[in-house]
Amino acid sequence: MQVSFLTVFSPTEMEFACSHVVCNWRSECLSEDEAKVSNQGCASTLPCGLSRAQSVSDHPYDNRVTFVQKPAPSVAPPPVPPRNIQRRDTLFSALPPPLPPRGLENNGETHLKANVNVVSLKVGSLVDVSKASAIKCSQKPVCCGKCNAVMSSASSPVTHQKTIIWSCEFCGKENVYPQTTLKGGRFPLRNPPGRDILYMDDDEDTEYENLDDMLIVLCVDISGSMSVTSEISPGNSMRSPTYVSRLQGVQEALQMVLSSLQKTSSHRRVALVTFNNEVTVYGDGTKVPLTLRDWALVDYDYLKKEGENYSTPHCIAETIQPLTQKIKELREHGATALGPAALISVAMASQFTGSKVIICTDGQANIGLGHLDQEFSHCTAPSPYFYNQLAHYAAEKGVIVSVMTFEGEDCRLAEVGRLADHTGGRINIVNIGTVATEIQSAVADNVLATSVMATLLAPDGMYFPYEEDNYRLVREIGNVTDGVEITFQFAVRPEKVESFQQRDRVPFQLQLSFKTRDLQKVTRVITQQKRVTTSSWVWAGSLNMSVLGVHCAQLCARLTMEGRVQEAQRQLRAQQDLLKDISQQKPSPKEESIYGNWISTMSMICEDLTTVNKNTTETDAKQASRTSSTASLSDAAAKVVYQMKRAKSVSGKGQRVAMMEN
């Protein structure tokens, strides 16, 4: 699914959805009486002399303004997404209604307004030091003693006798530094001249490691259900149809991958792990396999230790023949110990930063750690949170996990997919014809940086809706591959609106700390100042619809995965209203087509979420006993939602496009 937008912004790594900071945004719409009072005394024309339309729903912040028409690039309208992705029973389990966001009264009649205060961080580009245009600095940054903001070009330090005094532009703390301390060479004497600085940490706490020597662990399901066959070529009067089992399809795909690696990356290491009612570690195929069964499948620490201590496989150039033979000998039978196999695979891969685990399965985990099938009475209670724990462990070790399930099956992708979602891996539903291509794509993905941590600072008096209730936001990202983009909302507290409207500009600072491919510690600091709007209206031409669209997709997907379907639905409707307001300003036909198709897309998603919400209220007691808010989300729906979480904007010729993976 992909959606196109027109915009006038040039691409940057830290991009705002609006040219100005809208101070008086409120999450809920004003009533009719409030709107009339708020608009009393307001001019009927914009500062530039353009007239604006009046309506009873006008309020201090509104997007319905005269559209400043610009030449439209030749872009095709986005395709309409598939409708109503549902499973046999229902998409969500019955849970108590979620709490509304801070300051929002959930009275059933309140409508959200789209918040145009959104910032987009293109992390995939930001961590690529080789392409960075930032100023490199070998000194340590000067940090505020309260909020840890970094002194930047937006700072105004004052030299007083033998001290330097810096009043932090974010928290207001007065920092005093003796000049003798700064003259030691570890800190800059003056604030850096640029707004984008790379601080390179020279302290080496680890040895150099070549990420080209990383490990690829192929974790393959060989349970009984992998014997299901599919027709790959129809029969005729001369011959019968040809059928291939899922395992046969995977075996052929793995042999193709090994052959490709031997030709293009012969130094890579590859290990094989299989699972049914037991887990078998073949490694590189040159040693006696390690078999784990019974009690070992429920011992987290034991499995982790076995994986971390497993001997390092040899490169594929030396092991392709024995490894290929082991793959050919695989036979399907037994249950599905997916959890234990995933754990030992991640533990094996953790020995090399940037390693990958590729999981291919066709059924629910029903034995051992992380089992999700309640029909096995001899098992303990289902443990969906096991996958959260394992995902954090993998991200901490710089391991990318990709998950592939077969179409037509319920593998609880919403739960197992967390492994890929948190580590930067791929999530997809495959068939015999596409599994080889998908595995090849997963092998090709490379980690650009690990241990990525983003800190976003705004002035005191602002906050980040749905994230943090203060002006400092910290987000652990983990592994980053090419194209990763994250977005955040920000807003001014109601009691601080008046003071912010008296300011000309407000600063924002991004601090991105990470380790590069060669384990170099880097902190990238970007500081920008944004103007504050004193008008109650935002020009349509000042909005970056690509950033708004990406943020809407990511936020609604996240809320959906958390079981907060009603909030996701309201966010979609708010975005829909905003885009309708802009389209009413009669842009060019091509612009109207782009906006119209996006609105249609959003309408369908809203309608599908409405159906999901109705199904949620009709679930029976059996489904209500499930422990996770995503327990009843079908694999097809989970795939779409995870793709929405990874929505990103892509630069085109004179345009910005919001993309969701197909």
Side-chain angles (χ1 to χ4, degrees), residues 127 129-130 136 200-201 203-212 353-354 447-450 514-522:
V127 299
V129 178
S130 63
K136 293 185 179 181
M200 316 295 288
D201 193 341
D203 296 337
E204 296 288 345
D205 60 352
T206 56
E207 296 182 357
Y208 173 82
E209 185 173 335
N210 185 1
L211 288 191
D212 287 336
T353 302
V447 172
L448 297 177
T450 61
F514 55 93
K515 289 183 181 179
T516 61
R517 287 176 57 86
D518 57 0
L519 301 185
Q520 167 76 50
K521 289 185 177 180
V522 179

mmCIF file of all heavy atoms in Angstrom, residues 127 129-130 136 200-201 203-212 353-354 447-450 514-522:
data_model
loop_
_atom_site.group_PDB
_atom_site.id
_atom_site.type_symbol
_atom_site.label_atom_id
_atom_site.label_comp_id
_atom_site.label_asym_id
_atom_site.label_seq_id
_atom_site.Cartn_x
_atom_site.Cartn_y
_atom_site.Cartn_z
ATOM 1 N N VAL A 127 22.179 8.015 11.010
ATOM 2 C CA VAL A 127 23.249 7.181 11.567
ATOM 3 C C VAL A 127 24.304 6.817 10.523
ATOM 4 O O VAL A 127 25.316 6.193 10.864
ATOM 5 C CB VAL A 127 22.679 5.877 12.178
ATOM 6 C CG1 VAL A 127 21.728 6.194 13.312
ATOM 7 C CG2 VAL A 127 21.989 5.020 11.118
ATOM 8 N N VAL A 129 27.156 7.772 9.045
ATOM 9 C CA VAL A 129 28.195 8.771 9.262
ATOM 10 C C VAL A 129 28.951 9.078 7.977
ATOM 11 O O VAL A 129 29.383 10.212 7.738
ATOM 12 C CB VAL A 129 29.177 8.291 10.354
ATOM 13 C CG1 VAL A 129 30.299 9.294 10.561
ATOM 14 C CG2 VAL A 129 28.429 8.072 11.668
ATOM 15 N N SER A 130 29.103 8.083 7.114
ATOM 16 C CA SER A 130 29.878 8.276 5.890
ATOM 17 C C SER A 130 29.250 9.308 4.963
ATOM 18 O O SER A 130 29.944 9.945 4.172
ATOM 19 C CB SER A 130 30.024 6.939 5.144
ATOM 20 O OG SER A 130 28.749 6.447 4.742
ATOM 21 N N LYS A 136 32.239 17.415 12.267
ATOM 22 C CA LYS A 136 32.747 16.405 13.188
ATOM 23 C C LYS A 136 33.569 17.065 14.286
ATOM 24 O O LYS A 136 34.375 17.947 14.015
ATOM 25 C CB LYS A 136 33.579 15.373 12.436
ATOM 26 C CG LYS A 136 32.767 14.528 11.477
ATOM 27 C CD LYS A 136 33.605 13.430 10.851
ATOM 28 C CE LYS A 136 32.755 12.579 9.912
ATOM 29 N NZ LYS A 136 33.521 11.485 9.283
ATOM 30 N N MET A 200 32.423 12.460 18.112
ATOM 31 C CA MET A 200 33.031 11.138 17.995
ATOM 32 C C MET A 200 33.723 10.790 19.310
ATOM 33 O O MET A 200 34.624 11.508 19.764
ATOM 34 C CB MET A 200 34.035 11.103 16.847
ATOM 35 C CG MET A 200 33.561 11.787 15.568
ATOM 36 S SD MET A 200 32.153 10.971 14.789
ATOM 37 C CE MET A 200 32.944 9.506 14.136
ATOM 38 N N ASP A 201 33.312 9.690 19.924
ATOM 39 C CA ASP A 201 33.887 9.262 21.199
ATOM 40 C C ASP A 201 35.145 8.450 20.936
ATOM 41 O O ASP A 201 35.105 7.405 20.286
ATOM 42 C CB ASP A 201 32.869 8.419 21.974
ATOM 43 C CG ASP A 201 33.271 8.210 23.429
ATOM 44 O OD1 ASP A 201 34.464 8.384 23.736
ATOM 45 O OD2 ASP A 201 32.396 7.874 24.244
ATOM 46 N N ASP A 203 36.970 7.067 23.311
ATOM 47 C CA ASP A 203 37.169 6.049 24.348
ATOM 48 C C ASP A 203 36.804 4.685 23.798
ATOM 49 O O ASP A 203 35.653 4.420 23.465
ATOM 50 C CB ASP A 203 36.317 6.348 25.582
ATOM 51 C CG ASP A 203 36.739 7.646 26.255
ATOM 52 O OD1 ASP A 203 37.909 8.043 26.045
ATOM 53 O OD2 ASP A 203 35.917 8.248 26.957
ATOM 54 N N GLU A 204 37.774 3.791 23.685
ATOM 55 C CA GLU A 204 37.550 2.463 23.127
ATOM 56 C C GLU A 204 37.315 1.464 24.259
ATOM 57 O O GLU A 204 38.201 1.222 25.067
ATOM 58 C CB GLU A 204 38.768 2.008 22.304
ATOM 59 C CG GLU A 204 39.029 2.879 21.086
ATOM 60 C CD GLU A 204 37.997 2.666 19.999
ATOM 61 O OE1 GLU A 204 37.272 1.656 20.079
ATOM 62 O OE2 GLU A 204 37.918 3.497 19.086
ATOM 63 N N ASP A 205 36.113 0.934 24.338
ATOM 64 C CA ASP A 205 35.831 -0.088 25.351
ATOM 65 C C ASP A 205 35.663 -1.463 24.726
ATOM 66 O O ASP A 205 35.445 -2.445 25.416
ATOM 67 C CB ASP A 205 34.573 0.272 26.150
ATOM 68 C CG ASP A 205 33.342 0.396 25.256
ATOM 69 O OD1 ASP A 205 33.505 0.358 24.021
ATOM 70 O OD2 ASP A 205 32.241 0.532 25.807
ATOM 71 N N THR A 206 35.748 -1.530 23.393
ATOM 72 C CA THR A 206 35.657 -2.816 22.709
ATOM 73 C C THR A 206 36.658 -2.842 21.565
ATOM 74 O O THR A 206 37.078 -1.803 21.062
ATOM 75 C CB THR A 206 34.244 -3.045 22.128
ATOM 76 O OG1 THR A 206 33.920 -1.956 21.259
ATOM 77 C CG2 THR A 206 33.210 -3.163 23.226
ATOM 78 N N GLU A 207 37.033 -4.024 21.167
ATOM 79 C CA GLU A 207 37.951 -4.180 20.057
ATOM 80 C C GLU A 207 37.204 -4.002 18.738
ATOM 81 O O GLU A 207 36.001 -4.199 18.641
ATOM 82 C CB GLU A 207 38.605 -5.569 20.102
ATOM 83 C CG GLU A 207 39.475 -5.787 21.332
ATOM 84 C CD GLU A 207 40.130 -7.164 21.310
ATOM 85 O OE1 GLU A 207 39.852 -7.934 20.374
ATOM 86 O OE2 GLU A 207 40.913 -7.444 22.223
ATOM 87 N N TYR A 208 37.965 -3.630 17.715
ATOM 88 C CA TYR A 208 37.374 -3.465 16.386
ATOM 89 C C TYR A 208 36.793 -4.798 15.922
ATOM 90 O O TYR A 208 37.370 -5.853 16.130
ATOM 91 C CB TYR A 208 38.440 -3.005 15.396
ATOM 92 C CG TYR A 208 37.944 -2.974 13.966
ATOM 93 C CD1 TYR A 208 37.209 -1.895 13.487
ATOM 94 C CD2 TYR A 208 38.197 -4.033 13.106
ATOM 95 C CE1 TYR A 208 36.740 -1.863 12.178
ATOM 96 C CE2 TYR A 208 37.741 -4.013 11.798
ATOM 97 C CZ TYR A 208 37.016 -2.929 11.347
ATOM 98 O OH TYR A 208 36.553 -2.914 10.053
ATOM 99 N N GLU A 209 35.634 -4.707 15.316
ATOM 100 C CA GLU A 209 34.971 -5.914 14.828
ATOM 101 C C GLU A 209 34.444 -5.675 13.420
ATOM 102 O O GLU A 209 33.781 -4.680 13.153
ATOM 103 C CB GLU A 209 33.816 -6.278 15.764
ATOM 104 C CG GLU A 209 33.142 -7.590 15.411
ATOM 105 C CD GLU A 209 32.115 -7.983 16.462
ATOM 106 O OE1 GLU A 209 32.253 -7.549 17.604
ATOM 107 O OE2 GLU A 209 31.178 -8.710 16.116
ATOM 108 N N ASN A 210 34.769 -6.568 12.523
ATOM 109 C CA ASN A 210 34.335 -6.453 11.136
ATOM 110 C C ASN A 210 32.942 -7.051 10.990
ATOM 111 O O ASN A 210 32.754 -8.260 11.133
ATOM 112 C CB ASN A 210 35.327 -7.180 10.220
ATOM 113 C CG ASN A 210 34.982 -6.980 8.750
ATOM 114 O OD1 ASN A 210 34.015 -6.296 8.419
ATOM 115 N ND2 ASN A 210 35.772 -7.572 7.879
ATOM 116 N N LEU A 211 31.973 -6.190 10.697
ATOM 117 C CA LEU A 211 30.596 -6.677 10.609
ATOM 118 C C LEU A 211 30.357 -7.524 9.374
ATOM 119 O O LEU A 211 29.314 -8.147 9.237
ATOM 120 C CB LEU A 211 29.623 -5.496 10.635
ATOM 121 C CG LEU A 211 29.454 -4.788 11.984
ATOM 122 C CD1 LEU A 211 28.287 -3.834 11.920
ATOM 123 C CD2 LEU A 211 29.276 -5.759 13.125
ATOM 124 N N ASP A 212 31.318 -7.555 8.455
ATOM 125 C CA ASP A 212 31.171 -8.439 7.304
ATOM 126 C C ASP A 212 31.311 -9.905 7.714
ATOM 127 O O ASP A 212 30.982 -10.809 6.954
ATOM 128 C CB ASP A 212 32.220 -8.103 6.236
ATOM 129 C CG ASP A 212 31.885 -6.794 5.531
ATOM 130 O OD1 ASP A 212 30.692 -6.427 5.535
ATOM 131 O OD2 ASP A 212 32.800 -6.146 5.003
ATOM 132 N N THR A 353 27.960 -8.692 16.391
ATOM 133 C CA THR A 353 27.074 -7.558 16.181
ATOM 134 C C THR A 353 26.679 -7.446 14.714
ATOM 135 O O THR A 353 27.521 -7.563 13.831
ATOM 136 C CB THR A 353 27.763 -6.253 16.615
ATOM 137 O OG1 THR A 353 28.131 -6.355 17.984
ATOM 138 C CG2 THR A 353 26.849 -5.054 16.416
ATOM 139 N N GLY A 354 25.385 -7.228 14.465
ATOM 140 C CA GLY A 354 24.898 -7.113 13.101
ATOM 141 C C GLY A 354 24.452 -8.425 12.495
ATOM 142 O O GLY A 354 24.097 -8.466 11.309
ATOM 143 N N VAL A 447 22.626 -3.890 9.030
ATOM 144 C CA VAL A 447 22.530 -2.964 10.149
ATOM 145 C C VAL A 447 23.459 -1.779 9.892
ATOM 146 O O VAL A 447 24.637 -1.958 9.612
ATOM 147 C CB VAL A 447 22.916 -3.654 11.469
ATOM 148 C CG1 VAL A 447 23.002 -2.639 12.595
ATOM 149 C CG2 VAL A 447 21.903 -4.720 11.824
ATOM 150 N N LEU A 448 22.925 -0.567 9.960
ATOM 151 C CA LEU A 448 23.745 0.628 9.816
ATOM 152 C C LEU A 448 24.305 1.080 11.152
ATOM 153 O O LEU A 448 25.398 1.639 11.217
ATOM 154 C CB LEU A 448 22.924 1.763 9.192
ATOM 155 C CG LEU A 448 22.397 1.529 7.777
ATOM 156 C CD1 LEU A 448 21.545 2.715 7.343
ATOM 157 C CD2 LEU A 448 23.551 1.318 6.811
ATOM 158 N N ALA A 449 23.546 0.836 12.239
ATOM 159 C CA ALA A 449 23.981 1.234 13.572
ATOM 160 C C ALA A 449 23.235 0.400 14.605
ATOM 161 O O ALA A 449 22.138 -0.089 14.348
ATOM 162 C CB ALA A 449 23.727 2.725 13.807
ATOM 163 N N THR A 450 23.847 0.238 15.767
ATOM 164 C CA THR A 450 23.233 -0.497 16.865
ATOM 165 C C THR A 450 23.177 0.383 18.113
ATOM 166 O O THR A 450 23.797 1.453 18.159
ATOM 167 C CB THR A 450 24.015 -1.783 17.177
ATOM 168 O OG1 THR A 450 25.353 -1.434 17.578
ATOM 169 C CG2 THR A 450 24.093 -2.691 15.955
ATOM 170 N N PHE A 514 24.638 6.375 19.153
ATOM 171 C CA PHE A 514 24.626 5.056 18.522
ATOM 172 C C PHE A 514 26.043 4.541 18.349
ATOM 173 O O PHE A 514 27.027 5.261 18.564
ATOM 174 C CB PHE A 514 23.935 5.128 17.155
ATOM 175 C CG PHE A 514 24.505 6.154 16.209
ATOM 176 C CD1 PHE A 514 25.495 5.817 15.289
ATOM 177 C CD2 PHE A 514 24.055 7.473 16.230
ATOM 178 C CE1 PHE A 514 26.021 6.758 14.420
ATOM 179 C CE2 PHE A 514 24.570 8.425 15.359
ATOM 180 C CZ PHE A 514 25.559 8.060 14.457
ATOM 181 N N LYS A 515 26.124 3.270 17.948
ATOM 182 C CA LYS A 515 27.389 2.652 17.574
ATOM 183 C C LYS A 515 27.351 2.363 16.078
ATOM 184 O O LYS A 515 26.383 1.803 15.576
ATOM 185 C CB LYS A 515 27.618 1.346 18.345
ATOM 186 C CG LYS A 515 27.912 1.535 19.823
ATOM 187 C CD LYS A 515 28.190 0.197 20.488
ATOM 188 C CE LYS A 515 28.476 0.356 21.978
ATOM 189 N NZ LYS A 515 28.736 -0.956 22.628
ATOM 190 N N THR A 516 28.424 2.732 15.382
ATOM 191 C CA THR A 516 28.501 2.495 13.951
ATOM 192 C C THR A 516 28.826 1.029 13.686
ATOM 193 O O THR A 516 29.014 0.233 14.607
ATOM 194 C CB THR A 516 29.567 3.389 13.316
ATOM 195 O OG1 THR A 516 30.840 3.081 13.906
ATOM 196 C CG2 THR A 516 29.247 4.868 13.566
ATOM 197 N N ARG A 517 28.931 0.675 12.411
ATOM 198 C CA ARG A 517 29.223 -0.709 12.030
ATOM 199 C C ARG A 517 30.556 -1.196 12.586
ATOM 200 O O ARG A 517 30.721 -2.385 12.854
ATOM 201 C CB ARG A 517 29.216 -0.839 10.504
ATOM 202 C CG ARG A 517 27.826 -0.785 9.888
ATOM 203 C CD ARG A 517 27.893 -0.818 8.382
ATOM 204 N NE ARG A 517 28.599 -1.986 7.892
ATOM 205 C CZ ARG A 517 28.030 -3.177 7.686
ATOM 206 N NH1 ARG A 517 26.746 -3.342 7.944
ATOM 207 N NH2 ARG A 517 28.722 -4.180 7.222
ATOM 208 N N ASP A 518 31.510 -0.281 12.756
ATOM 209 C CA ASP A 518 32.798 -0.679 13.326
ATOM 210 C C ASP A 518 32.870 -0.386 14.824
ATOM 211 O O ASP A 518 33.955 -0.270 15.394
ATOM 212 C CB ASP A 518 33.952 0.015 12.592
ATOM 213 C CG ASP A 518 33.823 1.532 12.627
ATOM 214 O OD1 ASP A 518 32.835 2.021 13.216
ATOM 215 O OD2 ASP A 518 34.696 2.222 12.068
ATOM 216 N N LEU A 519 31.686 -0.248 15.451
ATOM 217 C CA LEU A 519 31.533 -0.073 16.900
ATOM 218 C C LEU A 519 32.076 1.249 17.418
ATOM 219 O O LEU A 519 32.378 1.388 18.601
ATOM 220 C CB LEU A 519 32.202 -1.248 17.658
ATOM 221 C CG LEU A 519 31.651 -2.641 17.332
ATOM 222 C CD1 LEU A 519 32.285 -3.691 18.225
ATOM 223 C CD2 LEU A 519 30.141 -2.673 17.488
ATOM 224 N N GLN A 520 32.204 2.252 16.557
ATOM 225 C CA GLN A 520 32.578 3.596 16.971
ATOM 226 C C GLN A 520 31.375 4.257 17.654
ATOM 227 O O GLN A 520 30.264 4.268 17.114
ATOM 228 C CB GLN A 520 32.995 4.425 15.763
ATOM 229 C CG GLN A 520 33.111 5.924 16.033
ATOM 230 C CD GLN A 520 34.368 6.281 16.789
ATOM 231 O OE1 GLN A 520 35.455 5.877 16.411
ATOM 232 N NE2 GLN A 520 34.224 7.027 17.858
ATOM 233 N N LYS A 521 31.578 4.808 18.847
ATOM 234 C CA LYS A 521 30.502 5.490 19.557
ATOM 235 C C LYS A 521 30.365 6.917 19.036
ATOM 236 O O LYS A 521 31.346 7.662 18.978
ATOM 237 C CB LYS A 521 30.783 5.516 21.062
ATOM 238 C CG LYS A 521 30.648 4.158 21.738
ATOM 239 C CD LYS A 521 30.830 4.290 23.233
ATOM 240 C CE LYS A 521 30.628 2.958 23.940
ATOM 241 N NZ LYS A 521 30.799 3.070 25.404
ATOM 242 N N VAL A 522 29.149 7.270 18.657
ATOM 243 C CA VAL A 522 28.890 8.580 18.068
ATOM 244 C C VAL A 522 27.646 9.184 18.702
ATOM 245 O O VAL A 522 26.683 8.472 19.011
ATOM 246 C CB VAL A 522 28.686 8.472 16.537
ATOM 247 C CG1 VAL A 522 28.403 9.841 15.931
ATOM 248 C CG2 VAL A 522 29.899 7.844 15.869
#
